[in-house]
Amino acid sequence: MRRTKEEAEQTRKTILEASLRVFSTKGYARSRLEDVAKEAGVTRGAIYWHFDNKADLFSSAVIESVSGYRKRLTDILLSPLSPLLKIRTLMKEWLATLEEDEAYRTLVEMTLTKTEFDDQTREGVREWFGFVDRVQEAIVDLIREGIDTGEIHGGIKPEVAGLALIAYLNGIEETWFIQNMASGERRFSPAEMADELVAFVLLGMAKG
């Protein structure tokens, strides 16, 4: 029985990985479950054994793709680092993930360039986007804490700064993909430049 469960879980994982490749190549609207089944080397019945429909498969693929990213950012937020150092470490991890986590990178590229948003696809990315909102809220709380401890300038508005930092990270992601698509090659490395990119935007926040 244990072997059967392990095989079922491996089949589910194979389907999820195949679906991400198909969705990222064809886009959600043009992708069919037959395409996913062929890519995964399984039958349509195997897909329906694990997922209710294409929307459920898409949502599950999104959640699986961001699982490592979510855990790494959550671990940083739960660490004993000081408020400003938590923000700095979190931002650097966000940028490094873009290059080092293939599933996350494929997902971001898919949502930026291949996803036609409607009720089904919005529902599929709701949990991921909700997590990003919670990260922004956590950054706002860290800024407040840093102001209270004297690590961050008191003249900064936490809500404005939190929004600005998330927008900065999203902007780097989008710029990276646009330049890659335009030139056909990687024009810069977010992972290699993470220290400088983060230091630049946090320079005016640090006190002392």
Side-chain angles (χ1 to χ4, degrees):
M1 180 62 70
R2 181 178 180 183
R3 176 179 171 79
T4 301
K5 288 181 179 179
E6 289 176 349
E7 289 175 346
E9 182 56 34
Q10 181 57 51
T11 299
R12 184 178 186 277
K13 181 180 179 182
T14 298
I15 293 170
L16 286 172
E17 292 173 347
S19 71
L20 188 62
R21 292 194 295 271
V22 172
F23 290 139
S24 65
T25 301
K26 295 190 171 186
Y28 178 81
R30 295 179 57 200
S31 296
R32 304 173 304 162
L33 291 182
E34 289 88 345
D35 301 324
V36 176
K38 182 178 179 180
E39 179 70 20
V42 301
T43 64
R44 274 175 56 100
I47 294 178
Y48 280 116
W49 176 264
H50 293 279
F51 307 98
D52 294 337
N53 47 44
K54 186 169 79 168
D56 182 36
L57 176 58
F58 178 79
S59 177
S60 298
V62 171
I63 292 171
E64 178 68 20
S65 299
V66 300
S67 60
Y69 155 86
R70 288 183 59 164
K71 183 181 186 307
R72 289 190 293 273
L73 296 193
T74 299
D75 287 346
I76 292 168
L77 291 173
L78 295 175
S79 72
L81 298 173
S82 69
L84 187 59
L85 190 52
K86 274 188 185 181
I87 295 172
R88 187 185 303 276
T89 306
L90 185 146
M91 293 181 69
K92 287 168 58 178
E93 181 60 41
W94 183 313
L95 294 175
T97 292
L98 188 60
E99 289 188 90
E100 296 171 0
D101 188 327
E102 183 179 358
Y104 177 77
R105 181 174 65 253
T106 301
L107 175 64
V108 173
E109 184 175 11
M110 179 182 71
T111 55
L112 284 176
T113 65
K114 297 289 179 62
T115 304
E116 309 84 358
F117 282 101
D118 55 21
D119 290 344
Q120 287 186 340
T121 49
R122 286 192 188 93
E123 184 62 33
V125 298
R126 189 181 303 279
E127 184 171 340
W128 172 26
F129 289 176
F131 175 72
V132 174
D133 284 342
R134 292 192 293 276
V135 170
Q136 180 177 332
E137 292 168 1
I139 289 175
V140 170
D141 289 340
L142 287 171
I143 293 171
R144 290 198 184 100
E145 185 181 347
I147 291 173
D148 289 342
T149 60
E151 192 178 19
I152 296 174
H153 281 296
I156 291 175
K157 293 183 179 179
E159 292 81 4
V160 174
L163 174 61
L165 294 181
I166 291 294
Y168 181 70
L169 292 170
N170 284 329
I172 291 172
E173 281 187 348
E174 188 167 349
T175 299
W176 190 67
F177 279 113
I178 289 173
Q179 290 190 355
N180 287 350
M181 287 186 291
S183 66
E185 59 184 22
R186 296 187 180 183
R187 299 271 295 276
F188 69 95
S189 168
E192 292 178 5
M193 298 177 65
D195 278 327
E196 295 171 281
L197 288 168
V198 173
F200 172 78
V201 76
L202 292 184
L203 185 63
M205 288 180 58
K207 189 175 181 180

